[in-house]
């Protein structure tokens, strides 16, 4: 189950719509495991993204289309967190790619969320299952994006900033020197 902040607190009474069964051979355990796809929130998820993620989780079983649309807006807030406020989401993604800040798989993840959310809101070509399973992957994509674009850079920065000041200054001089 999950706490009010969306973080995982326990695996007791996890329902099939909250989890997917994984074989024990994948994880080296004799017991079957349930791997959560929706519900668990990345700890470093920005508050503005978390708010929509939790709202999408709350309506997932009722309306997969609303869930997809909410997760698309969560993506828009994530691109805002990355510095692209007041920019159409498609342009923000393109700019992040042009700057080299998005690996191809992350660009694809963003485009899946963008296109699926847009289509869900406008009853377009992309069809979601009537059940919540059709949008489960979208929750996973939001978490992957937060992990790779927010959490990992923050962890690396913390470790890097712990280097001695003289080493950081030497690195800065190296990076300022013409090639």
């Amino acid at each position: 189950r999950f706490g009010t902040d969306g973080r995982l607190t326990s695996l007791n009474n996890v329902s099939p719509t909250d989890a997917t069964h994984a074989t024990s051979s994948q994880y080296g355990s004799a017991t079957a495991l349930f791997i959560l796809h929706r519900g668990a929130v990345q700890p470093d998820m920005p508050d503005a993204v978390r708010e929509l993620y939790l709202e999408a989780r709350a309506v997932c079983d009722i309306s997969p289309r609303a869930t997809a649309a909410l997760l698309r807006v969560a993506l828009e807030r994530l691109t805002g967190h990355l510095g692209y406020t007041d920019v159409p989401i498609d342009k923000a993604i393109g700019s992040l790619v042009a700057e080299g800040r998005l690996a191809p798989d992350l660009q694809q993840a963003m485009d899946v969320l963008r296109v699926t959310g847009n289509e869900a809101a406008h009853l377009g070509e992309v069809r979601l299952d009537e059940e919540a399973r059709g949008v489960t992957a979208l929750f996973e994509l939001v978490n992957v994006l937060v992990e790779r674009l927010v959490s990992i850079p923050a962890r690396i920065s913390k470790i890097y900033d712990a280097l001695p000041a003289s080493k950081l200054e030497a690195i800065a001089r190296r990076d300022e020197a013409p090639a």
Side-chain angles (χ1 to χ4, degrees):
R1 289 295 170 246
F2 305 95
T4 56
D5 64 354
R7 291 188 173 91
L8 179 66
T9 59
S10 129
L11 288 176
N12 294 334
N13 302 318
V14 174
S15 72
T17 57
D18 284 339
T20 297
H21 182 265
T23 62
S24 59
S25 63
Q26 289 175 288
Y27 298 94
S29 169
T31 58
L33 298 173
F34 286 97
I35 305 302
L36 298 172
H37 283 281
R38 71 174 165 96
V41 177
Q42 276 292 332
D44 297 325
M45 187 176 288
D47 290 340
V49 178
R50 178 188 310 274
E51 175 188 356
L52 288 166
Y53 186 97
L54 294 174
E55 184 177 347
R57 187 177 78 189
V59 301
C60 187
D61 292 326
I62 300 165
S63 177
R65 283 193 355 237
T67 299
L70 285 164
L71 291 175
R72 183 246 182 247
V73 177
L75 171 64
E76 190 168 5
R77 288 189 180 175
L78 179 60
T79 60
H81 179 81
L82 297 172
Y84 289 94
T85 55
D86 301 323
V87 176
I89 194 167
D90 193 40
K91 299 290 184 199
I93 294 168
S95 294
L96 287 164
V97 169
E99 292 172 6
R101 293 175 63 190
L102 278 187
D105 61 332
L106 297 181
Q107 173 261 311
Q108 291 172 351
M110 284 188 170
D111 280 327
V112 167
L113 285 161
R114 179 184 64 80
V115 170
T116 305
N118 286 346
E119 294 289 306
H122 302 292
L123 299 174
E125 294 176 31
V126 174
R127 298 286 181 227
L128 299 169
D129 292 345
E130 289 300 313
E131 297 177 31
R133 288 181 305 218
V135 296
T136 300
L138 301 180
F139 287 97
E140 184 176 359
L141 291 178
V142 172
N143 275 313
V144 166
L145 288 165
V146 170
E147 173 72 10
R148 300 238 332 251
L149 296 170
V150 177
S151 301
I152 290 174
R155 288 195 307 263
I156 291 171
S157 181
K158 183 177 179 180
I159 294 166
Y160 178 81
D161 291 345
L163 288 173
S166 62
K167 300 301 179 187
L168 293 171
E169 291 166 5
I171 293 167
R173 283 192 303 276
R174 176 205 64 201
D175 292 348
E176 290 173 4

